[in-house]
Amino acid sequence: MIAINDLTFAYPDSDFRLNIPSLVLEPGEKVAVVGPSGTGKTTLLNLIAGIAVPQSGTVRLGDVTVSNMGDADRRSLRAGRIGFVFQDFALLEYLTARENILFPYRIAAGAKIDDAARTRAVQLAQSCGLEGKLDRRPGALSQGEQQRVALCRSLIMKPDLVLADEATGNLDPANKVAILDLLFARTSEQGATLLAVTHDHELLPRFDRVIDFAIFRDAGEHAA
Amino acid sequence: MNAFFLAISYLRFHWARSLVLIVVTALILSVPIISQVLLNGSQTALTERAEATPLVLGSRGSQLDLAMNALYFSDDRANPVTMADADAIWDSGLGLPIPLNTAFETNGARIIGTSVEYFEFRGLNVAQGRQIALLGEAVLGASVAERLGLVPGDTVVSAPQNLFDLDGVYPLELNIVGVLAPTGTPDDEAVFVDIKTSWVIAGIGHGHDGVLAEGATSDDIVANAAIVEFNRITDDNIDSFHFHGDPADYPVSAVVLVPNDARAATMLRGRYLDADNPVQIIVPRDVIGELVGRIFRIKSLLDAVTLIVGGAALAAVGLAIFLSYRLRAREMQTAFKIGARKSMILQLIGAETILILCIAGVIAIALTFAVQTNGSTIVAWLLAT
């Protein structure tokens, strides 16, 4: 479960201010975050992941309070319990699809790429329709395939939470649906919570819940 | 984080950039060492050979050109002197003259026309075959034989002096009768013939069909352009070879003088001090000693230039690495979001720099080793060109 209470955040030298009195995501819940650009949707993901630290309030992920953790612990939390999917895929061009999927193992402290990890990478890739493409580099893959690789990378460490930041933003309509199908299916299999920032309103009915950042703005608590 | 795995993957993917960085770094590392190795080798080769050559007689002019040509068979040839000058030394009884005619080449190697005393003087031994005995025979230096793949029984043709001079000197096919043992000196790069054979190459001596009609007297010469001039000296035609003109006027590039003793050397030098005399005697040790001194003074300057260029090249390499990491800011940001430490970039820079330095270091060591192993050959080639 993710629980945010009385959270306030502001960037230095900026009039941007984010106030979230209360926000709770249940385990396994699929939640979409919508709202105009610059309202703090990505900032919310960064705060939950411990990339940014709130000025006040708490962010809890399961049994740990992210906002109180030290830098190393938050890094460790991201590497082990949170998966990221980015709009621009953010794959390493010089690694194959297989090595991109296994990349979190290379940066997570204490993680080791063993046979089990390799097998899991192959299984994930197969479940995302990447058979026969594991040894290709991103430059040799289509955009839809690159996002599938990024999706596999986000799930390889069996995270409790997957944060998707405009994950379908660079894809054509067919691939948008396909990637969202995969995102839903794979996170459901793992029982992971999905929090997805999106501008694609036609996809919203598929989520369990939609958080419109306008409610924070309407409440006068959030200034973009 | 497996920094080295990521570094290797990155370097392999950007192989062209990596190759440039590695080659530049290898050159920065190896050029100063190689230049030092070659300079030390040159100094040794120059000094040893100069000290082993008491005196050299040649045309008045550049003492350095004369020494370089007579000792290292370089292209810097002064005007030739004549056999009369060599004979004058012999007649004086003060020393042994060893004539050298270095005017011709074959397959990039200098043809040295000389007398048999030269081989004894330089301590040159025949490793294969035998020593020169007849006109038209040649023995090869070890490096020339290896480079051209020639053995006794093969032939080698002298290079024409001028391709467009139809009336000029025609190439002569030389019979290889021996190959010298390697010495690590310019002798390894030379083809040795008898001095008379060099005069045949020069066109002073030649052999051809009979020029008398059958049953005619010596007044009935029938020579014309149809007469075949031999371009190879064989057992069948060697008797027809003859020379024209006064042997005393035949050209000699230089004469190595081996004086009987120090007194004889002083006397010989004294006889050729007159600045109006077209012939001079030099002491190679003094001439080469001065050259080596200049080389090492220039070396100090070159060291400074190398330091500056090397520093600039290193700065360029550093800038290239720095810019590549600026370009990888997005990658680093992604890695950080996923859970990498911010110091990951430092680890990657370190791993890639270590890899580049290690590979470049291995190449630099290999280059230096190769130069050091073949140092004497390279030095001999450098001195001859």
Side-chain angles (χ1 to χ4, degrees), chain A residues 9 11 43 46-54 66 74 78:
Chain A
F9 177 80
Y11 288 108
T43 303
N46 288 343
L47 286 163
I48 291 172
I51 294 167
V53 180
V66 179
R74 280 186 280 125
R78 284 201 297 280

Side-chain angles (χ1 to χ4, degrees), chain B residues 319-340:
Chain B
L319 183 65
I321 293 173
F322 173 72
L323 288 177
S324 80
Y325 285 100
R326 287 285 299 271
L327 290 171
R328 295 170 70 182
R330 173 74 181 138
E331 172 190 334
M332 300 306 156
Q333 195 182 13
T334 302
F336 174 67
K337 281 190 173 181
I338 290 174

Side-chain angles (χ1 to χ4, degrees), chain A:
Chain A
M1 185 183 77
I2 297 166
I4 297 175
N5 284 304
D6 299 325
L7 181 143
T8 62
F9 177 80
Y11 288 108
D13 304 322
S14 166
D15 57 358
F16 176 89
R17 188 170 175 80
L18 182 64
N19 288 331
I20 302 178
S22 176
L23 178 64
V24 175
L25 278 69
E26 296 299 332
E29 195 177 12
K30 317 296 181 211
V31 178
V33 179
V34 296
S37 296
T39 50
K41 301 185 296 295
T42 299
T43 303
L44 172 65
L45 300 190
N46 288 343
L47 286 163
I48 291 172
I51 294 167
V53 180
Q55 270 77 44
S56 64
T58 58
V59 178
R60 290 184 61 81
L61 176 60
D63 53 349
V64 296
T65 304
V66 179
S67 48
N68 291 344
M69 294 169 84
D71 203 38
D73 289 336
R74 280 186 280 125
R75 223 175 32 238
S76 179
L77 180 83
R78 284 201 297 280
R81 294 180 60 184
I82 299 174
F84 268 97
V85 187
F86 303 98
Q87 181 177 3
D88 61 357
F89 326 133
L91 298 176
L92 303 187
E93 60 176 352
Y94 56 88
L95 295 181
T96 63
R98 185 193 311 276
E99 291 299 341
N100 264 293
I101 293 170
L102 289 166
F103 183 65
Y105 277 98
R106 298 200 180 276
I107 58 174
K112 187 182 173 191
I113 298 177
D114 52 16
D115 288 344
R118 292 188 184 282
T119 303
R120 177 164 167 71
V122 173
Q123 287 170 344
L124 266 175
Q126 286 173 341
S127 70
C128 289
L130 289 169
E131 297 93 340
K133 294 177 178 174
L134 277 171
D135 293 321
R136 292 187 190 178
R137 291 199 170 86
L141 297 172
S142 69
Q143 290 206 318
E145 288 167 341
Q146 288 183 52
Q147 192 61 302
R148 287 163 202 252
V149 173
L151 180 56
C152 292
R153 180 183 63 189
S154 73
L155 295 167
I156 190 73
M157 302 297 278
K158 299 181 183 172
D160 301 327
L161 171 66
V162 173
L163 300 173
D165 192 357
E166 300 276 5
T168 57
N170 278 1
L171 302 176
D172 59 70
N175 266 314
K176 278 181 186 177
V177 173
I179 290 295
L180 202 64
D181 286 345
L182 286 170
L183 201 52
F184 273 53
R186 298 290 88 80
T187 50
S188 294
E189 279 173 12
Q190 296 190 12
T193 304
L194 172 64
L195 182 60
V197 170
T198 181
H199 286 292
D200 291 321
H201 286 259
E202 65 272 27
L203 301 176
L204 296 182
R206 303 189 57 183
F207 287 89
D208 299 330
R209 185 154 55 109
V210 176
I211 299 171
D212 189 346
F213 257 49
I215 64 171
F216 301 114
R217 189 171 55 188
D218 290 347
E221 299 287 341
H222 169 244

Side-chain angles (χ1 to χ4, degrees), chain B residues 4 16 82 170 369:
Chain B
F4 279 100
T82 62
Y170 286 89
F369 181 73

Side-chain angles (χ1 to χ4, degrees), chain B residues 286-340:
Chain B
D286 296 344
V287 176
I288 298 302
E290 190 179 340
L291 173 67
V292 168
R294 283 183 188 175
I295 287 175
F296 276 84
R297 280 198 293 277
I298 293 170
K299 169 72 170 54
S300 307
L301 184 66
L302 282 178
D303 283 345
V305 172
T306 303
L307 198 67
I308 293 167
V309 172
L314 269 180
V317 169
L319 183 65
I321 293 173
F322 173 72
L323 288 177
S324 80
Y325 285 100
R326 287 285 299 271
L327 290 171
R328 295 170 70 182
R330 173 74 181 138
E331 172 190 334
M332 300 306 156
Q333 195 182 13
T334 302
F336 174 67
K337 281 190 173 181
I338 290 174

